[in-house]
Amino acid sequence: MFGKAKKPSESPKELMARLAIRGPYRVLRGDLGIVGMPGQVFAPSSQTWLPARTRDSDRWPAIAFGHSWLADSGRYRDLLYHLASWGIVVAAPDAERGVLASDTALAAALRSALDVVSHVPLGFGAVKVDAERVGYAGDGLGASAAVLAASTAILHGQAPRPVRSVAAVFPAPTTATLLPAAETVTAQGLVIGGSILDGVHANPLPLAAAYGGDVVLRTLAGGASAALVEKFGPGRLLGFNGADRKVHSQVRALLAGYLLHSLTGDLEYQAFSDPEVVLGAFTTLDLDDTPDLLDPISTLLGATPPKKKTDPAIAS
């Protein structure tokens, strides 16, 4: 009577493979400096170089992306270009690039950047953002800033705004305000962790555990912020960005699929928000049954976490 539920045209494995390569849209790159904010913006063009799926709106989804410590948007050029090629506007402010970078100041910059692209037409007026389909994402320090930006906190005079989605890639521990702020976030969330679940360089597990909204924690063996950050050098002229190829490929595919679903509700990519679905080389962690962890000092000293004790009643 009501017809069959719409199903994705490809399997999760096929979608990961397709999303790992450039999308169908041509990409426009601009400078946020024209609105007084250092940084870059990448936007999809209505022109395509491959057949694209029919869109239900003439406005595009958008995210503000935060960089890691001591980096800037230039270290994520290929990743941000990739997301734009799949139909996502990306604003990447170059705030807080120094040694004493502030997570809250970067979060405030993310809010400002998202406001700019949400209300200012891009590409000579041809590209407009759907202000109802926006979110935050980031890597390392920028991942933690993305969560702060999505919280209810007032940040450097910047009031919160509703967003649909947050993607925290290899988040790094910052200040004491991070986890309490994460508890107030209601947007759908994805946390991507690497081999370290909780330490001085990464804290994906505590962040996901504190997250207030629906969240999925996926981990990638060998993954780390340093493996995602692109390097400058002559290799870029030949198409080599200096990042770890496996990590970069897996992260860009997962991010593209997750954002396309969480921002637009596109059922083609619903698997990317489903913790029960295996995606590429990622492992999903059950936040109700997390592994025992060591404190950061013990981890630095090379200690190994204790093995979980088996309940004798269950074993028998």
Side-chain angles (χ1 to χ4, degrees), residues 33 48 62 68 78 91 106 108 124 129 137 173 186 205 228 255 279 286 293 299 309:
T48 65
S68 64
D78 287 353
L106 181 54
F124 302 103
V129 165
T186 57
L205 182 54
L228 185 65
L255 267 185
L279 294 170
D286 184 353
L293 298 175
T299 301
K309 295 182 179 179

Side-chain angles (χ1 to χ4, degrees), residues 250-265:
Q250 290 286 302
V251 168
R252 67 177 180 245
L254 178 60
L255 267 185
Y258 168 74
L259 292 172
L260 286 171
H261 179 256
S262 60
L263 293 177
T264 71

